[in-house]
Amino acid sequence: MMYDNDIELGRNDVCWCGSGLKYKKCHMDFDAKLQRLAQSGEEVPARALLKTPEEIEGIKRSAEVNVGALDYVAERIREGISTEEINTWVHTYTVEHGAIPAPLDFEGYPKSVCTSVNEVVCHGIPSADEVLASGDIVNIDCSTEKDGFFSDSSRMFCIGDVSPEARDLVRVTKEAVQAGLDAVRPWGHLGDIGAAVNAYAKDHGYTVVREFGGHGIGIEFHEEPFVSFVTKPNTGCVLVPGLCFTIEPMINLGKRHIDTSDPNGWTVRTKDRKLTAQWEVQLVITDEGYELLSW
Ligand code: MF3
Ligand code: CO
């Protein structure tokens, strides 16, 4: 029996990865390594979470639409645009590219994209009543399902004349994601990423939201593992090649605490109503490091 409760393949069986090769010529040694790590007490992701080359190709086709939708928004977003218009852009772009906006009807979410303005931490719902004004900072979070494969990324946009304080928060949050990426080592630990993000944010006097984080993704919108950005190095699951997940820290100008009391059940705000920012990328761990899939 394998560590993930799967049955062990025979040497001459066809490998699970879709290569068509015999197990002994393909992932047999790899699986033995996973088994050893699990037995030594490491948290090892179930093999079902590791994406095969074919699955990664599918996720890339999904991500192509997701990145395209965000690029489309980037070219048009400005003062005077409502978040409802952004929703229409993303919805139309996605559908016209043969894909489905993953947020729509996800656990009852009513729109095709999340638009989180200023003190909104995440899951802001687009509305015709919400018109972007000069000085706003806004996160546009796009997620796409194409042919059964999922992609997810988000970007911040500064509208018109933005205060230096807000601009710094947006920039540092993007840099924090890069610090997280720089901490990725194949066969390292997931906690290394959160530790790097947290240290970077803290160094700039900001705080990191604990209640929400990144997630595995690919065959489903949200898979294991949960990706926290308040972790210690050398903790959490092993970064096994094939593991696909997001890095998406929410970083606050003021205190870390959030307010989830909005009656719509979605919109999350900072408790102190100070500004917050988030950038999100999706990556897959490779033998050499990582490959960015969506941004
Ligand atoms: N895109 C968000 C994430 O990064 C999830 C949004 S769920 C939704 O995980 F229903 F609000 F869209
Ligand atoms: Co996400």
Side-chain angles (χ1 to χ4, degrees):
M1 196 74 135
M2 291 293 290
Y3 70 95
D4 57 359
N5 288 326
D6 224 339
I7 47 160
E8 227 171 313
L9 291 178
R11 300 173 57 80
N12 291 313
D13 287 341
V14 179
C15 191
W16 53 261
C17 79
S19 64
L21 295 174
K22 285 187 177 173
Y23 188 46
K24 65 183 176 195
K25 292 258 180 198
C26 200
H27 276 87
M28 193 173 84
D29 291 346
F30 177 90
D31 283 359
K33 182 170 181 177
L34 296 182
Q35 187 79 333
R36 264 199 319 278
L37 285 169
Q39 271 159 1
S40 75
E42 292 279 2
E43 204 181 302
V44 181
R47 285 176 301 167
L49 290 173
L50 305 177
K51 304 313 184 260
T52 66
E54 206 177 325
E55 288 170 336
I56 292 169
E57 286 315 306
I59 296 168
K60 282 183 178 173
R61 287 193 295 275
S62 172
E64 203 179 322
V65 180
N66 205 59
V67 170
L70 275 166
D71 287 345
Y72 187 93
V73 170
E75 282 166 21
R76 290 161 180 80
I77 194 168
R78 57 179 163 79
E79 193 179 340
I81 294 287
S82 74
T83 51
E84 176 67 29
E85 286 171 271
I86 296 169
N87 183 72
T88 303
W89 293 343
V90 170
H91 185 93
T92 306
Y93 182 95
T94 305
V95 170
E96 281 180 354
H97 287 79
I100 304 166
L104 189 57
D105 294 330
F106 174 76
E107 291 179 3
Y109 186 78
K111 294 284 180 175
S112 297
V113 63
C114 296
T115 52
S116 301
V117 182
N118 295 332
E119 76 282 0
V120 176
V121 173
C122 63
H123 305 164
I125 301 176
S127 159
D129 298 334
E130 184 176 53
V131 177
L132 295 176
S134 182
D136 285 344
I137 59 170
V138 54
N139 174 275
I140 307 298
D141 191 342
C142 278
S143 317
T144 298
E145 177 184 357
K146 190 167 197 289
D147 303 327
F149 295 103
F150 287 85
S151 53
D152 185 8
S153 54
S154 80
R155 302 181 198 165
M156 293 298 296
F157 296 96
C158 293
I159 308 299
D161 282 327
V162 167
S163 71
E165 197 181 45
R167 202 168 280 281
D168 284 350
L169 175 67
V170 168
R171 176 181 51 80
V172 169
T173 302
K174 188 175 188 180
E175 290 167 357
V177 170
Q178 188 58 51
L181 287 169
D182 292 344
V184 170
R185 301 282 177 277
W187 306 102
H189 291 87
L190 190 61
D192 302 346
I193 298 172
V197 169
N198 198 258
Y200 198 86
K202 227 171 150 180
D203 279 352
H204 289 81
Y206 301 139
T207 61
V208 177
V209 171
R210 316 175 87 90
E211 294 85 345
F212 293 91
H215 49 91
I217 176 169
I219 309 307
E220 290 177 66
F221 190 176
H222 294 118
E223 301 175 357
E224 282 184 73
F226 174 68
V227 182
S228 167
F229 303 104
V230 288
T231 48
K232 300 259 179 292
N234 279 306
T235 63
C237 89
V238 177
L239 296 176
V240 179
L243 194 65
C244 182
F245 58 92
T246 68
I247 298 179
E248 49 175 314
M250 284 146 250
I251 296 183
N252 297 349
L253 193 61
K255 298 216 163 72
R256 68 168 182 82
H257 305 93
I258 59 171
D259 173 1
T260 56
S261 69
D262 192 298
N264 70 24
W266 285 101
T267 310
V268 178
R269 293 184 177 80
T270 53
K271 198 166 185 204
D272 59 15
R273 298 296 191 266
K274 291 191 177 168
L275 293 174
T276 179
Q278 177 183 32
W279 290 80
E280 174 178 21
V281 297
Q282 177 180 351
L283 62 147
V284 62
I285 303 297
T286 63
D287 291 328
E288 295 78 31
Y290 67 86
E291 185 178 358
L292 271 190
L293 300 178
S294 192
W295 55 86

